[in-house]
Amino acid sequence: MADRQLDEWDIAHGGLRSLSSREIKVFWDGYPARRNDPRIRHGSLYSRWRHIADDLVVSLYLTNRSVGLFVRGQRGEGYATTANRLIAFEPALGKALGVSLRGEYALCYLSNHPVAMTDPANWPRAYAWLERQEKHFSHVLSDMVVGA
């Protein structure tokens, strides 16, 4: 495993510490408190969701090695369904968001910020990045998809 490059989705291997569920809760308790936005809701242990419309959600996520966000549909809707719906807004939507609809992972418009989240000293920087990106994604999606 030592010669293999870890990516942001890897669980910690050999000497890397994983975030505990308590640390994840503390991180996510801090984000909505900072944002004071009732549209940010619980998605899962590792994510929070910002609903833009009934079928359009910005999913904010946390890993050991990054924070990030991507666009998804309703709970239970698959990637292909969401991507097929959003392709009607391409290429303008991808250009406005600054990321492509389809990337390396099966997630629409994935954007991430590499940062060691196991160190709470990095959290203020992660919060600031998430907040900027969340606001940007929300405004662009509201204008270009919901308002279309």
Side-chain angles (χ1 to χ4, degrees):
M1 199 68 63
D3 62 342
R4 186 169 86 79
Q5 183 75 12
L6 294 179
D7 71 37
E8 67 173 307
W9 301 100
D10 282 331
I11 302 298
H13 295 283
L16 293 178
R17 183 179 76 74
S18 292
L19 287 164
S20 70
S21 59
R22 172 142 171 57
E23 288 171 307
I24 294 167
K25 180 181 180 346
V26 170
F27 178 84
W28 284 125
D29 285 350
Y31 188 74
R34 173 188 171 103
R35 292 283 290 119
N36 194 24
D37 188 334
R39 294 172 292 188
I40 299 170
R41 298 190 180 116
H42 183 85
S44 71
L45 175 64
Y46 292 95
S47 71
R48 294 299 178 266
W49 291 4
R50 164 80 182 268
H51 288 262
I52 307 301
D54 287 342
D55 62 351
L56 192 61
V57 175
V58 174
S59 182
L60 308 145
Y61 72 83
L62 165 69
T63 72
N64 293 327
R65 301 166 59 88
S66 70
V67 292
L69 52 92
F70 59 92
V71 178
R72 58 168 297 135
Q74 298 175 3
R75 186 176 295 277
E77 180 175 282
Y79 161 76
T81 302
T82 306
N84 288 335
R85 187 172 60 251
L86 294 172
I87 202 161
F89 301 95
E90 282 300 306
L93 183 56
K95 186 176 275 190
L97 291 173
V99 289
S100 65
L101 171 61
R102 300 172 196 259
E104 183 179 353
Y105 299 100
L107 300 166
C108 300
Y109 303 110
L110 174 64
S111 179
N112 75 327
H113 178 65
V115 60
M117 294 306 296
T118 53
D119 181 356
N122 291 329
W123 293 6
R125 205 168 22 134
Y127 284 146
W129 185 89
L130 270 177
E131 185 174 356
R132 277 192 313 274
Q133 287 296 97
E134 177 209 331
K135 285 180 179 179
H136 175 67
F137 270 48
S138 297
H139 289 284
V140 169
L141 291 165
S142 293
D143 291 347
M144 296 182 74
V145 178
V146 178

